[in-house]
């Protein structure tokens, strides 16, 4: 087994850093109840909140750090996605993580990945329509991590609402014995949803990006008026943000059924998700909020 190269802060215990399936199997052989937190690194406060939930519910917490090439499309930010394993390991130490699984790309994909997990119709909507093949890449790597770590539960952030819905569907459809736990969206003090991609934003871009959370709040406040009122209120905020400097370039705004991610009809009653994706400068951001109509 390899040891972490980072130095843990005072009072924290360095997690064991493993890089291969064999090392991982040995490390988890007597792990007891195990929780997995899958990440692509660049860990922030949102990730910390997932680790804390995992720590409360398991004997052993495993955090995977792997920038998965299968979920990036042509022209996306795979090459420039932030990578700093030492910093990520320090965060894990501070949150009481036991094991960090940080495989190389060649370890996860030793040959061309010919067999993948098809995300189905739900995987082709919203994020899937904007990023073709994205969710096939996500589900494939998550399935591999489940088989490698063999966790009792896995914790995912609800900021990626469509992703967690698809993971839950995969677990149900393929009879994978893993409990999926959703962690509430963590927001920075200015309202922006915590994200590894926030570091790409300049100061003025960040100011413009705050319109996403304002739009969701406006939609949520309009919920008593029904689905059409929700969409109208949120869109009004985003139309204003499109005139900002720098502008917010809307990809989609959608009010959807949380189980299928199909558009909620105007007469919809019950739970719904208001989801938004937009680009500010070169950075693409997503956000969502749950609404009861």
């Amino acid at each position: 087994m390899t040891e972490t190269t980072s130095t843990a802060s005072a009072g924290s215990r360095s997690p064991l850093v493993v890089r291969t399936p064999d090392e991982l199997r040995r490390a988890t052989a007597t792990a007891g109840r195990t929780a997995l937190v899958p990440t692509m690194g660049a860990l922030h406060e949102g990730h910390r909140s997932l680790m804390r939930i995992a720590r409360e519910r398991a004997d052993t917490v495993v955090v995977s750090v792997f920038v998965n090439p299968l979920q990036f499309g042509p022209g996306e930010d795979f090459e420039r996605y932030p990578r700093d394993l030492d910093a990520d390991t320090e965060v894990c130490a501070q949150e009481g993580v036991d094991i960090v699984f940080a495989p190389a790309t060649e370890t996860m994909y030793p040959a061309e990945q010919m067999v993948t997990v098809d995300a189905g119709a739900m995987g082709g909507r919203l994020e899937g329509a904007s990023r073709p093949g994205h969710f096939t890449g996500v589900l494939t790597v998550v399935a591999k991590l489940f088989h490698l770590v063999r966790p009792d539960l896995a914790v995912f952030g609800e900021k990626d609402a469509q992703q967690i819905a698809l993971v839950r569907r995969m677990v149900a459809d393929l009879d994978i014995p893993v409990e999926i736990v959703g962690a509430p969206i963590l927001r920075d003090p200015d309202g922006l949803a915590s994200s590894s991609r926030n570091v790409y934003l300049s100061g003025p871009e960040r100011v413009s990006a705050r319109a996403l959370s304002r739009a969701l709040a406006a939609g949520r406040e309009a919920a008593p008026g029904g689905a059409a009122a929700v969409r109208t209120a949120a869109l009004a905020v985003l139309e204003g943000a499109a005139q900002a400097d720098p502008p917010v370039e809307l990809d989609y705004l959608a009010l959807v059924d949380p189980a299928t991610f199909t558009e909620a009809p105007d007469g919809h009653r019950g739970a719904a998700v208001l989801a938004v994706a937009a680009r500010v400068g070169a950075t693409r951001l997503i956000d969502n909020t749950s609404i009861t109509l």
Side-chain angles (χ1 to χ4, degrees):
M1 298 182 188
T2 57
E3 295 181 356
T4 177
T5 57
S6 68
T7 302
S9 62
S12 62
R13 175 175 56 84
S14 294
L16 180 66
V17 178
V18 298
R19 298 179 182 274
T20 70
D22 284 344
E23 291 175 348
L24 180 63
R25 278 189 286 271
R26 291 196 293 270
T28 58
T30 58
R33 182 170 171 81
T34 302
L36 170 66
V37 181
T39 82
M40 293 204 301
L43 303 180
H44 50 68
E45 287 300 319
H47 293 112
R48 287 179 184 268
S49 70
L50 309 188
M51 296 175 205
R52 290 166 190 162
I53 291 173
R55 181 76 279 161
E56 291 172 356
R57 301 191 53 171
D59 302 312
T60 299
V61 176
V62 179
V63 171
S64 62
V65 176
F66 177 63
V67 183
N68 175 34
L70 290 192
Q71 68 192 67
F72 289 79
E76 293 189 339
D77 59 347
F78 175 71
E79 295 297 336
R80 72 181 186 122
Y81 197 88
R83 295 165 171 85
D84 188 340
L85 183 58
D86 285 349
D88 291 340
T89 303
E90 173 65 15
V91 170
C92 290
Q94 293 167 4
E95 297 302 331
V97 170
D98 300 288
I99 299 167
V100 172
F101 179 44
T105 301
E106 296 75 18
T107 300
M108 290 297 285
Y109 304 115
E112 180 185 357
Q113 189 75 19
M114 296 182 66
V115 177
T116 57
V117 179
D118 186 350
M122 183 162 63
R125 299 174 187 133
L126 300 187
E127 282 299 289
S130 296
R131 305 176 67 187
H134 170 70
F135 286 122
T136 291
V138 169
L139 295 185
T140 298
V141 78
V142 169
K144 288 172 73 75
L145 288 169
F146 285 172
H147 288 303
L148 290 166
V149 179
R150 294 170 293 176
D152 296 281
L153 63 104
V155 186
F156 292 82
E158 292 177 351
K159 182 177 77 70
D160 298 296
Q162 191 174 3
Q163 172 179 281
I164 194 172
L166 280 161
V167 170
R168 286 189 168 121
R169 187 60 186 261
M170 177 182 73
V171 165
D173 286 355
L174 300 183
D175 297 311
I176 301 175
V178 179
E179 177 189 359
I180 305 303
V181 179
I185 297 172
L186 191 70
R187 297 188 179 277
D188 295 342
D190 62 0
L192 199 64
S194 295
S195 170
S196 301
R197 290 185 167 93
N198 289 352
V199 299
Y200 299 154
L201 297 169
S202 68
E205 287 170 348
R206 186 173 182 112
V207 171
S208 294
R210 295 172 190 165
L212 273 67
S213 58
R214 293 201 310 272
L216 296 177
R220 192 169 56 247
E221 291 171 5
V230 169
R231 294 186 180 96
T232 298
L235 190 58
V237 175
L238 294 168
E239 287 174 344
Q243 306 305 314
D245 183 18
V248 174
E249 301 174 11
L250 182 63
D251 184 348
Y252 63 75
L253 174 73
L255 183 68
V256 298
D257 183 313
T260 63
F261 273 71
T262 55
E263 280 285 345
D266 287 346
H268 182 83
R269 293 293 181 268
V273 171
L274 182 61
V276 62
R279 190 172 296 276
V280 184
T283 305
R284 187 174 183 275
L285 301 171
I286 63 171
D287 203 348
N288 74 86
T289 189
S290 296
I291 290 177
T292 300
L293 295 170

